[in-house]
Every structure is written in structure tokens, then in C-alpha cells.
Short mmCIF file of all heavy atoms in Angstrom, two decimals:
data_model
loop_
_atom_site.label_atom_id
_atom_site.label_comp_id
_atom_site.label_asym_id
_atom_site.label_seq_id
_atom_site.Cartn_x
_atom_site.Cartn_y
_atom_site.Cartn_z
N GLY A 1 -55.29 -29.68 73.49
CA GLY A 1 -54.19 -29.03 74.13
C GLY A 1 -53.42 -29.88 75.05
O GLY A 1 -52.22 -29.91 75.13
N VAL A 2 -54.12 -30.57 75.89
CA VAL A 2 -53.56 -31.52 76.90
C VAL A 2 -52.85 -32.68 76.11
O VAL A 2 -51.67 -33.06 76.47
CB VAL A 2 -54.56 -32.07 77.89
CG1 VAL A 2 -53.97 -33.17 78.75
CG2 VAL A 2 -55.13 -30.94 78.72
N ALA A 3 -53.43 -33.23 75.12
CA ALA A 3 -52.83 -34.35 74.40
C ALA A 3 -51.55 -33.84 73.68
O ALA A 3 -50.61 -34.63 73.53
CB ALA A 3 -53.83 -34.92 73.41
N TRP A 4 -51.58 -32.61 73.18
CA TRP A 4 -50.50 -32.07 72.45
C TRP A 4 -49.30 -32.00 73.43
O TRP A 4 -48.13 -32.32 73.07
CB TRP A 4 -50.85 -30.73 71.87
CG TRP A 4 -49.67 -30.21 71.06
CD1 TRP A 4 -48.65 -29.38 71.50
CD2 TRP A 4 -49.44 -30.25 69.64
NE1 TRP A 4 -47.80 -29.07 70.46
CE2 TRP A 4 -48.26 -29.56 69.35
CE3 TRP A 4 -50.21 -30.86 68.65
CZ2 TRP A 4 -47.80 -29.48 68.02
CZ3 TRP A 4 -49.72 -30.84 67.38
CH2 TRP A 4 -48.49 -30.12 67.08
N SER A 5 -49.60 -31.39 74.60
CA SER A 5 -48.51 -31.25 75.66
C SER A 5 -48.01 -32.57 76.07
O SER A 5 -46.70 -32.78 76.28
CB SER A 5 -49.11 -30.54 76.81
OG SER A 5 -49.44 -29.22 76.54
N GLU A 6 -48.83 -33.59 76.18
CA GLU A 6 -48.48 -34.89 76.58
C GLU A 6 -47.63 -35.56 75.43
O GLU A 6 -46.63 -36.27 75.65
CB GLU A 6 -49.69 -35.72 76.75
CG GLU A 6 -49.42 -37.17 77.30
CD GLU A 6 -49.01 -37.24 78.72
OE1 GLU A 6 -49.24 -36.29 79.52
OE2 GLU A 6 -48.47 -38.28 79.14
N GLY A 7 -47.92 -35.28 74.16
CA GLY A 7 -47.24 -35.88 73.05
C GLY A 7 -45.92 -35.26 72.83
O GLY A 7 -44.97 -35.91 72.28
N GLU A 8 -45.67 -34.08 73.34
CA GLU A 8 -44.33 -33.48 73.17
C GLU A 8 -43.32 -34.15 74.19
O GLU A 8 -42.16 -33.93 73.91
CB GLU A 8 -44.38 -31.96 73.53
CG GLU A 8 -45.09 -31.23 72.44
CD GLU A 8 -45.00 -29.67 72.70
OE1 GLU A 8 -45.17 -29.25 73.88
OE2 GLU A 8 -44.87 -28.94 71.73
N VAL A 9 -43.75 -34.74 75.15
CA VAL A 9 -42.77 -35.38 76.12
C VAL A 9 -42.20 -36.61 75.46
O VAL A 9 -42.77 -37.50 74.94
CB VAL A 9 -43.58 -35.77 77.37
CG1 VAL A 9 -42.59 -36.39 78.36
CG2 VAL A 9 -44.20 -34.49 77.99
N GLY A 10 -40.85 -36.64 75.55
CA GLY A 10 -40.09 -37.86 74.96
C GLY A 10 -40.09 -37.84 73.52
O GLY A 10 -39.76 -38.93 72.96
N ASP A 11 -40.27 -36.73 72.94
CA ASP A 11 -40.26 -36.70 71.42
C ASP A 11 -39.07 -36.06 70.91
O ASP A 11 -39.18 -34.85 70.47
CB ASP A 11 -41.61 -36.12 70.91
CG ASP A 11 -41.76 -36.19 69.34
OD1 ASP A 11 -41.24 -37.11 68.81
OD2 ASP A 11 -42.36 -35.24 68.86
N GLY A 12 -37.94 -36.60 71.04
CA GLY A 12 -36.67 -35.94 70.47
C GLY A 12 -35.88 -35.36 71.66
O GLY A 12 -36.23 -35.46 72.79
N ALA A 13 -34.77 -34.69 71.24
CA ALA A 13 -33.92 -34.06 72.23
C ALA A 13 -34.58 -32.91 72.91
O ALA A 13 -35.45 -32.27 72.36
CB ALA A 13 -32.58 -33.61 71.51
N ASP A 14 -34.20 -32.71 74.14
CA ASP A 14 -34.75 -31.73 74.93
C ASP A 14 -36.27 -31.63 75.06
O ASP A 14 -36.97 -30.61 75.00
CB ASP A 14 -34.24 -30.31 74.34
CG ASP A 14 -34.45 -29.14 75.29
OD1 ASP A 14 -34.27 -29.32 76.51
OD2 ASP A 14 -34.87 -28.03 74.87
N SER A 15 -36.80 -32.90 75.21
CA SER A 15 -38.23 -32.96 75.32
C SER A 15 -38.67 -33.50 76.78
O SER A 15 -39.88 -33.61 76.99
CB SER A 15 -38.82 -33.88 74.27
OG SER A 15 -38.28 -35.18 74.39
N THR A 16 -37.70 -33.65 77.63
CA THR A 16 -37.98 -34.06 78.99
C THR A 16 -37.26 -33.22 79.89
O THR A 16 -36.12 -33.04 79.75
CB THR A 16 -37.62 -35.57 79.20
OG1 THR A 16 -38.24 -36.34 78.21
CG2 THR A 16 -38.03 -36.09 80.62
N PRO A 17 -37.87 -32.59 80.97
CA PRO A 17 -39.26 -32.64 81.26
C PRO A 17 -40.08 -31.93 80.19
O PRO A 17 -39.51 -31.25 79.21
CB PRO A 17 -39.36 -31.97 82.62
CG PRO A 17 -38.09 -31.30 82.90
CD PRO A 17 -37.15 -31.91 81.86
N ALA A 18 -41.40 -31.93 80.25
CA ALA A 18 -42.32 -31.49 79.27
C ALA A 18 -41.93 -30.05 78.81
O ALA A 18 -41.85 -29.22 79.67
CB ALA A 18 -43.64 -31.52 79.77
N PRO A 19 -41.90 -29.76 77.54
CA PRO A 19 -41.70 -28.42 77.09
C PRO A 19 -42.76 -27.46 77.53
O PRO A 19 -42.56 -26.29 77.79
CB PRO A 19 -41.68 -28.58 75.55
CG PRO A 19 -41.28 -29.91 75.33
CD PRO A 19 -41.86 -30.78 76.48
N ALA A 20 -44.01 -27.91 77.71
CA ALA A 20 -45.10 -27.17 78.19
C ALA A 20 -44.85 -26.59 79.68
O ALA A 20 -45.36 -25.56 80.08
CB ALA A 20 -46.46 -27.83 78.17
N CYS A 21 -43.96 -27.31 80.33
CA CYS A 21 -43.70 -26.88 81.76
C CYS A 21 -42.48 -26.01 81.79
O CYS A 21 -42.22 -25.33 82.81
CB CYS A 21 -43.38 -28.17 82.55
SG CYS A 21 -44.78 -29.21 82.93
N ARG A 22 -41.76 -25.93 80.73
CA ARG A 22 -40.46 -25.09 80.68
C ARG A 22 -40.55 -23.88 79.92
O ARG A 22 -40.07 -22.78 80.27
CB ARG A 22 -39.30 -25.97 80.10
CG ARG A 22 -38.95 -27.11 81.08
CD ARG A 22 -37.81 -27.86 80.43
NE ARG A 22 -38.17 -28.78 79.29
CZ ARG A 22 -37.67 -28.73 78.16
NH1 ARG A 22 -36.63 -27.99 77.84
NH2 ARG A 22 -38.19 -29.47 77.13
N GLU A 23 -41.37 -23.91 78.78
CA GLU A 23 -41.33 -22.71 77.87
C GLU A 23 -42.29 -21.58 78.42
O GLU A 23 -43.43 -21.84 78.76
CB GLU A 23 -41.80 -23.15 76.54
CG GLU A 23 -40.79 -24.13 75.79
CD GLU A 23 -41.43 -24.75 74.62
OE1 GLU A 23 -42.56 -24.54 74.19
OE2 GLU A 23 -40.60 -25.62 74.05
N GLY A 24 -41.74 -20.45 78.44
CA GLY A 24 -42.60 -19.25 78.93
C GLY A 24 -42.54 -19.05 80.42
O GLY A 24 -43.33 -18.20 80.91
N PHE A 25 -41.80 -19.83 81.14
CA PHE A 25 -41.74 -19.67 82.63
C PHE A 25 -40.39 -19.03 83.05
O PHE A 25 -39.38 -19.35 82.37
CB PHE A 25 -42.02 -20.98 83.37
CG PHE A 25 -43.37 -21.54 83.23
CD1 PHE A 25 -43.68 -22.51 82.24
CD2 PHE A 25 -44.41 -20.99 83.97
CE1 PHE A 25 -45.00 -22.96 82.11
CE2 PHE A 25 -45.77 -21.49 83.87
CZ PHE A 25 -46.05 -22.46 82.87
N ALA A 26 -40.36 -18.38 84.20
CA ALA A 26 -39.11 -17.83 84.64
C ALA A 26 -38.27 -19.01 85.18
O ALA A 26 -38.78 -20.04 85.61
CB ALA A 26 -39.44 -16.86 85.87
N PRO A 27 -36.84 -18.83 85.11
CA PRO A 27 -36.00 -19.90 85.49
C PRO A 27 -36.23 -20.40 86.93
O PRO A 27 -36.04 -21.49 87.31
CB PRO A 27 -34.56 -19.26 85.39
CG PRO A 27 -34.75 -18.18 84.43
CD PRO A 27 -36.21 -17.69 84.58
N GLU A 28 -36.57 -19.38 87.87
CA GLU A 28 -36.82 -19.85 89.26
C GLU A 28 -38.09 -20.67 89.35
O GLU A 28 -38.26 -21.52 90.36
CB GLU A 28 -36.95 -18.71 90.21
CG GLU A 28 -37.89 -17.63 89.92
CD GLU A 28 -37.39 -16.49 88.96
OE1 GLU A 28 -36.20 -16.59 88.54
OE2 GLU A 28 -38.16 -15.56 88.62
N THR A 29 -39.01 -20.52 88.47
CA THR A 29 -40.29 -21.34 88.52
C THR A 29 -40.04 -22.81 88.06
O THR A 29 -40.51 -23.73 88.68
CB THR A 29 -41.35 -20.73 87.52
OG1 THR A 29 -41.58 -19.38 87.87
CG2 THR A 29 -42.64 -21.47 87.58
N ILE A 30 -39.17 -23.02 87.04
CA ILE A 30 -38.96 -24.38 86.58
C ILE A 30 -37.72 -25.09 87.32
O ILE A 30 -37.44 -26.16 86.99
CB ILE A 30 -38.70 -24.34 85.08
CG1 ILE A 30 -37.44 -23.49 84.66
CG2 ILE A 30 -39.90 -23.85 84.27
CD1 ILE A 30 -37.05 -23.58 83.21
N GLU A 31 -37.19 -24.35 88.23
CA GLU A 31 -36.07 -24.87 89.00
C GLU A 31 -36.59 -26.18 89.79
O GLU A 31 -37.56 -26.17 90.41
CB GLU A 31 -35.48 -23.94 90.02
CG GLU A 31 -34.26 -24.42 90.71
CD GLU A 31 -33.65 -23.19 91.59
OE1 GLU A 31 -33.77 -22.11 91.19
OE2 GLU A 31 -33.07 -23.65 92.59
N GLY A 32 -35.86 -27.24 89.61
CA GLY A 32 -36.27 -28.57 90.23
C GLY A 32 -37.34 -29.31 89.64
O GLY A 32 -37.86 -30.23 90.23
N LEU A 33 -37.65 -28.94 88.35
CA LEU A 33 -38.71 -29.67 87.69
C LEU A 33 -38.31 -31.09 87.37
O LEU A 33 -37.19 -31.39 86.89
CB LEU A 33 -39.02 -28.92 86.36
CG LEU A 33 -40.05 -29.44 85.40
CD1 LEU A 33 -41.37 -29.31 86.15
CD2 LEU A 33 -40.16 -28.64 84.17
N THR A 34 -39.17 -32.01 87.73
CA THR A 34 -38.87 -33.49 87.56
C THR A 34 -39.75 -34.16 86.66
O THR A 34 -39.30 -34.92 85.70
CB THR A 34 -38.89 -34.26 88.97
OG1 THR A 34 -40.23 -34.06 89.39
CG2 THR A 34 -37.96 -33.69 89.88
N HIS A 35 -41.03 -33.93 86.70
CA HIS A 35 -42.01 -34.61 85.72
C HIS A 35 -43.29 -33.85 85.64
O HIS A 35 -43.47 -32.68 86.15
CB HIS A 35 -42.23 -36.02 86.21
CG HIS A 35 -42.91 -36.15 87.57
ND1 HIS A 35 -42.31 -35.94 88.72
CD2 HIS A 35 -44.23 -36.43 87.83
CE1 HIS A 35 -43.06 -36.12 89.80
NE2 HIS A 35 -44.24 -36.42 89.21
N HIS A 36 -44.30 -34.43 85.01
CA HIS A 36 -45.57 -33.76 84.83
C HIS A 36 -46.64 -34.78 85.13
O HIS A 36 -46.42 -36.01 85.18
CB HIS A 36 -45.74 -33.27 83.34
CG HIS A 36 -45.89 -34.35 82.38
ND1 HIS A 36 -44.80 -35.09 81.84
CD2 HIS A 36 -46.93 -34.87 81.79
CE1 HIS A 36 -45.19 -35.94 81.04
NE2 HIS A 36 -46.55 -35.89 81.03
N ARG A 37 -47.88 -34.24 85.26
CA ARG A 37 -49.16 -35.05 85.40
C ARG A 37 -50.12 -34.49 84.53
O ARG A 37 -50.50 -33.37 84.58
CB ARG A 37 -49.66 -35.03 86.76
CG ARG A 37 -48.78 -35.75 87.87
CD ARG A 37 -49.37 -35.93 89.20
NE ARG A 37 -49.64 -34.55 89.73
CZ ARG A 37 -49.37 -34.14 90.93
NH1 ARG A 37 -48.79 -34.92 91.78
NH2 ARG A 37 -49.69 -32.92 91.34
#
């Protein structure tokens, strides 16, 4: 699961920041998202 989320980053258009950090979250939660760890 972690490797899959890591692999989605930088893989095509709309892949940065990580889709795992954006999908399924409210807009106010992802506001100001810069990167992942």
C-alpha cells in the first residue's frame, strides 16, 4: 500500500502532490498541500 502510494507520485499528469493525499479528503484538508513523506 505504501509503495503503491509512493509509485503514484510523479506518474503522469495530476500526480503531484500524491493522489493518496488528495483523493477522498475535504478541500479544506488538502488546502496548502506541498509534499508527502
Side-chain angles (χ1 to χ4, degrees):
V2 172
W4 184 274
S5 295
E6 183 77 21
E8 286 183 325
V9 177
D11 188 28
D14 195 37
S15 61
T16 305
C21 292
R22 293 180 286 127
E23 295 170 358
F25 292 99
E28 57 272 0
T29 303
I30 62 174
E31 187 175 329
L33 182 63
T34 59
H35 63 284
H36 71 278
R37 290 188 300 231

